[in-house]
């Protein structure tokens, strides 16, 4: 347990979690009712790992059927060979179509998920090693921790928003 907490509610959630975690049944049961114990359980979402889990679940992500993803990634790989290292590839999802723009090329494919609040950009030079084998029937495209994830591949260097494209 940390020596400092963000709020009284988070502190109560920490104490409650510690009691529950060290209880043989996984939930501390006092001999007589303790009102703040219920408050601590209600505020479990304030614990750092719960906040991180919620943020991860809310990250921009969508899924694309493997056939569409394969076609899009092959097209993108061809385009990446023709543009400069610093040319930006822009990924944007409106809730039904995932769009990848790179140079003058726009690749669009049907996808499932919640719309992204903004597009994300990454330099073409960071995407040179796109996945060739897609092992699942649906391929996830997601943004987390300044990285683009395509299936099980991760590409660091993502910038929120559209960036100027450069051919150098």
């Amino acid at each position: 347990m940390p020596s400092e907490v963000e709020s009284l509610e988070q502190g109560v959630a920490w104490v409650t979690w510690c009691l529950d975690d060290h209880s043989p049944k996984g939930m501390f049961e006092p001999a007589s009712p303790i009102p703040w114990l219920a408050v601590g359980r209600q505020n479990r979402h304030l614990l750092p790992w719960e906040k991180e889990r919620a943020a991860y679940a809310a990250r921009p992500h969508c899924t694309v059927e493997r056939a569409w993803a394969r076609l899009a990634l092959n097209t993108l790989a061809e385009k990446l060979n023709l543009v400069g290292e610093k040319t930006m590839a822009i990924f944007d999802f409106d809730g039904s179509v995932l769009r990848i723009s790179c140079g003058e090329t726009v690749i669009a494919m049907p996808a499932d998920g919640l719309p992204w609040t903004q597009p994300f950009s990454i330099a073409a030079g960071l995407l040179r090693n796109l996945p060739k084998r897609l092992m699942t029937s649906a391929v996830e495209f997601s943004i987390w921790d300044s990285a683009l994830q395509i299936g099980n591949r991760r590409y660091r260097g993502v910038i929120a928003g559209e960036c100027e494209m450069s051919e150098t």
Side-chain angles (χ1 to χ4, degrees):
M1 192 168 150
S3 58
E4 291 186 26
V5 292
E6 295 173 9
S7 66
L8 176 63
E9 292 82 8
Q10 187 188 51
V12 172
W14 266 104
V15 172
T16 302
W17 178 82
C18 289
L19 290 170
D20 286 347
D21 191 54
H22 290 87
S23 176
K25 295 180 183 176
M27 184 177 223
F28 178 69
E29 296 177 19
S32 59
I34 303 173
W36 59 262
L37 205 54
V39 172
R41 289 186 180 123
Q42 289 172 347
N43 288 315
R44 193 166 284 218
H45 66 279
L46 298 174
L47 297 171
W49 58 91
E50 294 295 338
K51 285 179 164 182
E52 182 81 4
R53 186 181 328 213
Y56 183 78
R59 79 197 183 288
H61 67 284
C62 63
T63 55
V64 177
E65 288 182 25
R66 178 175 41 211
W68 284 106
R70 179 179 292 124
L71 180 61
L73 292 173
N74 287 341
T75 304
L76 180 59
E78 290 172 11
K79 180 62 181 175
L80 291 173
N81 288 328
L82 302 175
V83 298
E85 295 277 314
K86 294 182 181 178
T87 299
M88 300 306 283
I90 301 166
F91 290 75
D92 194 13
F93 179 58
D94 66 7
S96 60
V97 176
L98 175 64
R99 277 182 213 74
I100 306 170
S101 305
C102 186
E104 300 299 317
T105 302
V106 177
I107 305 161
M109 68 207 90
D112 293 315
L114 295 175
W116 298 358
T117 58
Q118 62 188 350
F120 295 89
S121 304
I122 186 168
L126 300 173
L127 286 176
R128 298 284 185 213
N129 191 19
L130 291 170
K132 290 178 179 52
R133 285 193 167 177
L134 303 173
M135 306 304 282
T136 57
S137 60
V139 178
E140 184 175 71
F141 288 73
S142 67
I143 308 294
W144 180 249
D145 197 23
S146 299
L148 166 68
Q149 186 153 343
I150 302 173
N152 61 0
R153 294 272 180 95
R154 199 166 160 81
Y155 304 92
R156 294 208 167 272
V158 169
I159 302 165
E162 291 186 35
C163 294
E164 290 293 317
M165 294 186 202
S166 168
E167 290 300 320
T168 55

